[in-house]
Amino acid sequence: MAYESTGAPDYYNIDDLLTEEHKLIRQTMRDFVKREISPCIEKWAQDAHFPSEIVKKFGDVGAFGPTIPTEYGGGGLDYISYGIIMQEIERGDSGMRSTASVQGSLVMYPIYKYGSEEQRNKYLPKLASGEWLGCFGLTEPDFGSNPGGMVTNIKDMGDHYLLNGSKMWISNSPECQVAVVWAKNEEGRIKGLIVERGMEGFSTPEIHNKWSLRASCTGELVFDNVKVPKENLLPNVDGLRGPLGCLDSARYGISWGAIGAAIDCYESALKYSKERIQFDKPIGGFQLTQKKLAEMLTEITKAQLMVWRLGTLMNEGKATTQQISMAKRNSVDMALHIAREARQIHGGMGITGEYPIMRHMMNLESVITYEGTHDIHLLITGADITGIQAFK
């Protein structure tokens, strides 16, 4: 019997490792994406349009902060559930997944993990529901892979902090109501602050002319003598471990999400290969096409097993930064390679908006760079296995 997809490639019966709740969550998110994202995503991407109405819809379906406790408006779910949600959203589009993953992992997570009870109660329910959109300010124009070099700073003015500096390549920033921002104090220690839309001197210019993540809004954060109340400082974290802890959560989501993009490219290529006739038979009947499809499915299967195991370790509190780093790098590299192979199977049609291939490919060019570049993740693994850091 020919292998048939049941909605996602599952060549190794990985569904047997999932609970019924996991499968229900997957179906709910898959239906949501098919209804709310897939019919419009090509036009949004072509027009470089961020559909701001999607934010409330994400909140309604539970895509924001799935692992945050229900008392703060989150889903109270496990990490495999979170991964599945990111996978299904990125089957739709990486930019849409970026919107959700920034909100959950980079805004809600630090407020929950490092914030006060007052901060949790004030911000998390509004972020979970999609009433507010948040962003995460770490990367600077001159400091990406070396976040410790940041120049954004705060000065203690007695009853408030004075924030100055800028951040670059910030997903959600043009539309955000709140930003979790990392800055150095007078002692050079990195601190986290919650900055709200409307604070004087705070602006969020949009970045235009992107060839990637075109349905996602990206911008800067600019701070010109912004007065931030003392109660907006995240009290329970100090140093670089704060933002890096957030990135662990986000990178974990990406490791699942990128598989979603790969699945969408693979399934499109598989379907096309059975329908496209050349030399009197479907191109899926030629050896080189079968080689491409077989290799795609193999790589997707390997990545699925890796992220399932990583999700289990996350649930047990055993996953390391280095393990998360390896999975993020592997999944995105795999997805980008599959997008390129799928483009070839589609021939000339692969460059058109009739198929999702080029959109995924361009999106993944951002995903392979953000939240730790392809090469930096290699060096994280290298340092872990040799004990010698090669960053400097």
Side-chain angles (χ1 to χ4, degrees):
M1 186 181 100
Y3 167 72
E4 288 293 334
S5 167
T6 56
D10 185 15
Y11 209 65
Y12 265 49
N13 300 339
I14 300 167
D15 269 15
D16 292 352
L17 303 172
L18 304 180
T19 66
E20 290 307 310
E21 184 182 32
H22 291 148
K23 294 172 195 173
L24 180 62
I25 289 165
R26 184 177 62 192
Q27 192 59 52
T28 300
M29 288 309 302
R30 190 169 295 168
D31 292 343
F32 172 83
V33 169
K34 283 181 179 175
R35 184 176 68 250
E36 302 290 350
I37 294 175
S38 298
C40 305
I41 189 60
E42 296 298 338
K43 179 164 173 51
W44 294 339
Q46 290 279 0
D47 295 345
H49 169 69
F50 173 68
S52 50
E53 67 276 6
I54 201 72
V55 178
K56 187 69 174 68
K57 292 176 181 179
F58 272 144
D60 291 343
V61 81
F64 291 149
T67 63
I68 300 292
T70 54
E71 65 202 85
Y72 302 112
L77 301 173
D78 72 350
Y79 275 96
I80 288 178
S81 299
Y82 173 54
I84 287 168
I85 291 168
M86 294 301 107
Q87 173 185 284
E88 291 305 315
I89 297 175
E90 196 148 356
R91 280 180 79 170
D93 186 75
S94 301
M96 292 289 98
R97 196 267 309 141
S98 293
T99 300
S101 116
V102 165
Q103 183 92 327
S105 288
L106 299 181
V107 183
M108 295 176 69
Y109 175 85
I111 292 172
Y112 170 68
K113 186 82 173 171
Y114 309 135
S116 65
E117 195 60 24
E118 292 76 20
Q119 289 168 344
R120 291 172 186 160
N121 289 320
K122 178 179 179 180
Y123 296 106
L124 291 178
K126 286 186 169 68
L127 291 162
S129 70
E131 180 183 342
W132 281 3
L133 184 66
C135 68
F136 176 83
L138 178 63
T139 299
E140 297 189 359
D142 295 321
F143 293 97
S145 296
N146 175 24
M150 73 173 66
V151 294
T152 298
N153 63 90
I154 52 170
K155 288 191 172 70
D156 191 332
M157 306 303 286
D159 63 341
H160 66 272
Y161 294 105
L162 204 60
L163 173 64
N164 280 286
S166 65
K167 303 292 183 178
M168 187 77 167
W169 304 117
I170 309 302
S171 293
N172 298 356
S173 84
E175 302 266 342
C176 77
Q177 281 75 45
V178 62
V180 172
V181 178
W182 303 92
K184 284 183 177 173
N185 65 11
E186 286 123 313
E187 289 77 48
R189 297 295 295 171
I190 292 171
K191 297 289 186 178
L193 303 100
I194 302 169
V195 181
E196 295 183 39
R197 174 77 67 190
M199 288 183 175
E200 192 175 348
F202 173 42
S203 59
T204 58
E206 187 167 1
I207 295 170
H208 297 285
N209 299 323
K210 298 180 300 177
W211 286 109
S212 183
L213 301 180
R214 287 172 60 85
S216 168
C217 62
T218 311
E220 302 173 55
L221 300 175
V222 180
F223 314 107
D224 182 11
N225 288 322
V226 180
K227 292 181 179 178
V228 182
K230 284 278 179 83
E231 63 264 25
N232 283 36
L233 186 84
L234 294 175
N236 299 320
V237 71
D238 180 67
L240 203 51
R241 73 178 181 86
L244 294 183
C246 305
L247 289 172
D248 276 351
S249 178
R251 288 166 177 169
Y252 169 75
I254 292 169
S255 73
W256 281 82
I259 295 173
I263 288 170
D264 200 44
C265 291
Y266 164 77
E267 295 198 325
S268 182
L270 178 61
K271 186 170 185 289
Y272 189 83
S273 75
K274 294 176 179 180
E275 296 169 351
R276 174 64 167 161
I277 306 298
Q278 205 64 252
F279 302 108
D280 303 321
K281 70 175 182 179
I283 61 171
F286 291 100
Q287 289 183 3
L288 285 176
T289 304
Q290 291 193 3
K291 175 182 185 289
K292 285 181 170 64
L293 292 167
E295 287 176 344
M296 287 181 192
L297 183 58
T298 302
E299 292 307 312
I300 288 170
T301 301
K302 285 153 66 175
Q304 286 173 323
L305 287 164
M306 179 181 258
V307 299
W308 175 82
R309 177 59 186 153
L310 181 61
T312 304
L313 292 171
M314 292 283 285
N315 286 340
E316 295 171 353
K318 294 178 182 175
T320 66
T321 293
Q322 293 82 357
Q323 288 169 330
I324 296 167
S325 174
M326 179 184 279
K328 187 268 185 184
R329 181 186 177 277
N330 179 73
S331 290
V332 183
D333 183 58
M334 174 275 296
L336 195 48
H337 180 71
I338 283 178
R340 289 170 179 155
E341 291 288 272
R343 214 290 301 151
Q344 292 206 54
I345 289 175
H346 285 78
M349 293 303 294
I351 69 163
T352 72
E354 297 293 311
Y355 298 91
I357 310 302
M358 280 297 288
R359 178 172 50 80
H360 282 307
M361 193 189 302
M362 292 192 299
N363 285 342
L364 289 164
E365 288 291 350
S366 288
V367 183
I368 205 166
T369 293
Y370 71 28
E371 297 184 33
T373 69
H374 184 70
D375 291 343
I376 286 290
H377 283 300
L378 268 184
L379 297 183
I380 290 171
T381 304
D384 195 39
I385 60 181
T386 65
I388 306 166
Q389 194 182 93
F391 295 115
K392 297 181 180 179

